[in-house]
Amino acid sequence: MADAKNMRIRILKDGPYLVTGGVPLVEDDMVIGPDGEPSCWEESAPYPERETYALCRCGASKAKPFCDGTHAEAGFDGTEAGCKDPYLTQVEWTSGPKVDLTWARKLCAIARFCHRAGDAWTQAEKSDDPAARATAIEEAACCPSGSLVAWDKETGRPIEPELEPSIGLVENPQAGTSGPIWVKGGIPIESSDGTVYEVRNRVALCRCGRSGNKPFCDGTHLTVGFKAK
Ligand code: FES
């Protein structure tokens, strides 16, 4: 079994994500609910275990999710515009009676789990109702990028889902479209300049090559209708 403390993702300049330490790789499918919004995640299609692998970052590899070198021919510009400051310096707060929410707009992958039931922010504001509190927490926990985080009002601590260190490839099978690389469980991500981004439980990395906030997903994959398959 892979040892989480050896896991790492290195961003290569204008190239792929180099993943080391035997990080498990799976596909994470969005399950769309009756209201047309995502309701939960379903894990499928685990890839064979590999100690090291390179994931496509330009969106153009013919061997997706793996890099096949196309970035060089395509002249991929992978410049990292993403903020290296801690998450909490980037957020807007919404305060409710029992739960608060923080949201970092620039990290939002537009996965839309927070849109159900009148949206997570409305539920947080009504969180003296236990059902509304539970919905706000659950919607925030489904956010793959961790742009949305719920905070327990009593303890002042974030309410994070338990995620095994692994990588998920986000797919929306109903729409036939693909989303970001979902990095789970606090795997360090090293910039191409050698610095390490804040280590977080949830991070969404761009794999369509079009984000304006690389290496993070900014939802542009939806605008361009990115299909990895
Ligand atoms: S995968 Fe989301 S912007 Fe590229």
Side-chain angles (χ1 to χ4, degrees):
M1 179 149 168
D3 186 344
K5 63 179 184 305
N6 296 327
M7 295 178 181
R8 197 168 188 89
I9 298 172
R10 271 179 60 212
I11 299 167
L12 303 191
K13 186 174 176 345
D14 300 330
Y17 301 105
L18 185 63
V19 182
T20 55
V23 181
L25 180 65
V26 300
E27 182 179 307
D28 279 309
D29 293 337
M30 289 176 159
V31 178
I32 308 299
D35 61 356
E37 299 293 356
S39 61
C40 61
W41 291 100
E42 197 168 84
E43 194 175 292
S44 67
Y47 285 77
E49 281 179 31
R50 288 163 76 164
E51 179 62 22
T52 300
Y53 51 91
L55 291 175
C56 174
R57 186 160 77 98
C58 70
S61 168
K62 291 174 195 66
K64 290 193 267 302
F66 303 109
C67 170
D68 70 352
T70 300
H71 57 273
E73 292 158 35
F76 173 59
D77 177 0
T79 303
E80 295 170 56
C83 182
K84 294 196 172 82
D85 295 336
Y87 167 76
L88 279 179
T89 65
Q90 305 178 48
V91 299
E92 302 163 26
W93 283 87
T94 299
S95 187
K98 297 285 186 193
V99 69
D100 291 345
L101 292 179
T102 47
W103 182 53
R105 182 180 299 269
K106 287 187 113 178
L107 297 177
C108 179
I110 318 184
R112 306 192 327 276
F113 288 89
C114 52
H115 288 201
R116 276 180 296 132
D119 82 51
W121 293 267
T122 304
Q123 299 302 316
E125 283 165 355
K126 298 192 302 193
S127 58
D128 43 4
D129 170 359
R133 178 181 183 277
T135 303
I137 291 169
E138 192 224 323
E139 292 192 7
C142 281
C143 173
S145 66
S147 61
L148 186 64
V149 174
W151 297 76
D152 188 299
K153 199 81 176 178
E154 278 175 23
T155 64
R157 297 187 61 78
I159 306 168
E160 277 291 319
E162 276 190 32
L163 299 172
E164 286 297 315
S166 58
I167 290 176
L169 303 166
V170 171
E171 293 288 338
N172 182 340
Q174 193 162 316
T177 54
S178 308
I181 290 170
W182 184 8
V183 181
K184 305 175 210 174
I187 300 172
I189 299 167
E190 183 182 316
S191 164
S192 58
D193 69 10
T195 58
V196 177
Y197 287 92
E198 181 185 21
V199 174
R200 302 192 64 219
N201 189 35
R202 299 174 274 165
V203 176
L205 293 175
C206 174
R207 68 169 168 145
C208 73
R210 307 285 288 276
S211 170
N213 192 39
K214 295 185 192 72
F216 306 111
C217 168
D218 68 355
T220 302
H221 59 272
L222 289 172
T223 321
V224 302
F226 177 58
K227 295 180 199 292
K229 292 186 168 177

